[in-house]
Amino acid sequence: MKRLLAVLCLSSIAVAAHAEISQKFGPLEIHYNALTTDELLPEVARAYKIERSKTRGLVTMSVLKQNKVGVPTPVAAKIAVYATNLNQQLAHVTMREIKEGTAIYYLGEFRVSPPDTLKFTASVEVAGEPKREMVFEQKFYK
């Protein structure tokens, strides 16, 4: 099961609209991605107990912080995510932390009714750093 996040992220690369992206905030680099769970490989979905469906979405996030020599290193964070659809319906996305070796990442599932565009609002708190707020959008297709 080691490094299944890489498989999870790679499973979405076939669709360019779902490429993982990141934002930098000082020494922090926050990576994020959102996709429908039917795009996950069956073994990845099973490993993380995620239901594969065109009406279920998954947001993935990871936080890296530059260490003393400037190398990005995974760090634990408190992450809150909300999703708003085109009808302005707001939903809280519960994030769960996954640790595999030195990797730390966060997964959150939500409902989606494609075609739709969801606006995600996330707050990220890392010990010793100011709270960071970020917004990103993802289109979901039938």
Side-chain angles (χ1 to χ4, degrees):
M1 214 181 335
K2 200 127 171 98
R3 302 289 178 183
L4 278 180
L5 177 63
V7 174
L8 181 136
C9 290
L10 290 174
S11 70
S12 66
I13 289 178
V15 181
H18 292 299
E20 182 179 339
I21 49 178
S22 65
Q23 290 185 26
K24 287 190 175 193
F25 299 93
L28 298 181
E29 188 173 310
I30 303 168
H31 291 257
Y32 54 93
N33 190 8
L35 61 149
T36 54
T37 60
D38 67 319
E39 295 181 52
L40 297 174
L41 297 171
E43 58 271 20
V44 172
R46 259 191 314 280
Y48 289 102
K49 298 176 177 40
I50 297 170
E51 176 188 342
R52 293 178 74 235
S53 171
K54 290 182 182 199
T55 61
R56 303 268 317 151
L58 178 71
V59 62
T60 67
M61 298 185 78
S62 63
V63 182
L64 303 175
K65 183 176 181 179
Q66 288 185 0
N67 64 19
K68 293 178 183 179
V69 293
V71 176
T73 305
V75 292
K78 181 180 176 187
I79 299 177
V81 177
Y82 292 88
T84 307
N85 66 12
L86 291 174
N87 293 325
Q88 299 304 310
Q89 295 170 314
L90 178 70
H92 177 263
V93 179
T94 302
M95 301 296 285
R96 59 185 165 116
E97 184 180 80
I98 307 290
K99 290 184 178 182
E100 291 181 348
T102 59
I104 304 170
Y105 46 93
Y106 300 85
L107 305 177
E109 296 178 68
F110 54 90
R111 293 202 179 283
V112 63
S113 299
D116 203 352
T117 299
L118 296 185
K119 177 180 172 182
F120 294 91
T121 304
S123 68
V124 178
E125 295 180 68
V126 172
E129 292 292 328
K131 183 178 180 178
R132 308 298 182 165
E133 302 283 335
M134 55 187 288
V135 176
F136 61 96
E137 289 187 359
Q138 181 63 56
K139 291 183 181 182
F140 295 92
Y141 303 95
K142 280 190 173 182

